[in-house]
Amino acid sequence: MDTKTTMRIGILGGTFNPIHIGHLILAQDALEQFELNRVLFVPCAKPPHKKAAGLLSAEHRLRMIEVALEGDLRFEISPVELQRGGTSYTVDTLRELAPAWPGARFYLILGGDSLLELHLWKDVYSLLELCEVVTLVRPGHDAEPVTAETLSLRAPWPGRLVKNVWTGHRVEVSSTDIRRRLAEGMSIRYLVHPAVEMYIAEHGLYMMK
């Protein structure tokens, strides 16, 4: 029997520029809360909803994810978007992943802010048919509460989506702040995995030129 047929696979996408402890805690919260078997970290080639200026090379971002996840069998990397190239749309990624995980159920992991913008995503209704969206909000962090009324989607999706909104750990860490701290010569200890901190230092990443 193919062990993949009953797998519950979480999908966590992003630029990971760089990956930090907030990403790792989000993945762990989702895995435990929604009883996932595995979480795939999917670094994008080109983000569709943010500027790509300052985006580190795919090679460096992929390697930082690898060192951050090393030894944790719950987490895995999928380079599908990097290999496909171009603008990274989640609906295309889910269509591409499905044949590799026959019978698996996919759970797209979002934060509260991303859920509120979900109606802007490419082929959103096709995407919603391909996966179950699970959302973890940070207490006191997300600017607007997530309710069925705040989701600009047609029925029955708002009601379904809010049922999968849960509270995760409050982690005030962002890749933007990490890049700023590095550019200003400040420490990023405790904000990223130690192996990521070492990789950044060894390669002189994000330093002010």
Side-chain angles (χ1 to χ4, degrees), residues 9 18 107 117 208:
I9 308 296
Y107 295 76
E117 297 176 353
M208 185 69 75

Side-chain angles (χ1 to χ4, degrees), residues 53-180:
L55 186 63
L56 214 59
S57 71
E59 178 184 1
H60 280 313
R61 289 185 291 126
L62 194 61
R63 184 57 186 149
M64 285 189 287
I65 301 171
E66 288 174 350
V67 300
L69 304 187
E70 188 172 0
D72 195 332
L73 300 180
R74 304 170 302 169
F75 300 153
E76 186 176 320
I77 305 170
S78 173
V80 59
E81 293 185 351
L82 299 177
Q83 293 169 349
R84 189 170 68 240
T87 303
S88 300
Y89 293 109
T90 302
V91 66
D92 297 333
T93 299
L94 287 166
R95 288 167 176 156
E96 195 167 345
L97 285 173
W101 298 90
R105 295 179 62 186
F106 291 109
Y107 295 76
L108 180 63
I109 303 167
L110 299 181
D113 291 344
S114 294
L115 181 61
L116 291 169
E117 297 176 353
L118 191 60
H119 63 283
L120 302 174
W121 290 28
K122 177 186 175 182
D123 295 344
V124 62
Y125 294 106
S126 296
L127 182 153
L128 291 169
E129 296 288 353
L130 292 169
C131 67
E132 186 167 347
V133 175
V134 296
T135 305
L136 287 159
V137 298
R138 290 171 286 177
H141 181 274
D142 294 285
E144 186 175 356
V146 177
T147 65
E149 290 70 31
T150 57
L151 299 181
S152 302
L153 294 165
R154 63 176 182 241
W157 294 109
R160 292 184 184 180
L161 291 168
V162 296
K163 289 180 180 179
N164 277 343
V165 176
W166 297 86
T167 300
H169 285 87
R170 180 172 181 170
V171 183
E172 300 293 341
V173 181
S174 73
S175 295
T176 300
D177 183 55
I178 289 170
R179 294 194 302 271
R180 179 191 62 80

Side-chain angles (χ1 to χ4, degrees), residues 25-36:
I25 292 172
L26 175 62
Q28 178 167 273
D29 281 348
L31 184 138
E32 294 176 349
Q33 183 64 59
F34 301 103
E35 299 181 338
L36 307 179

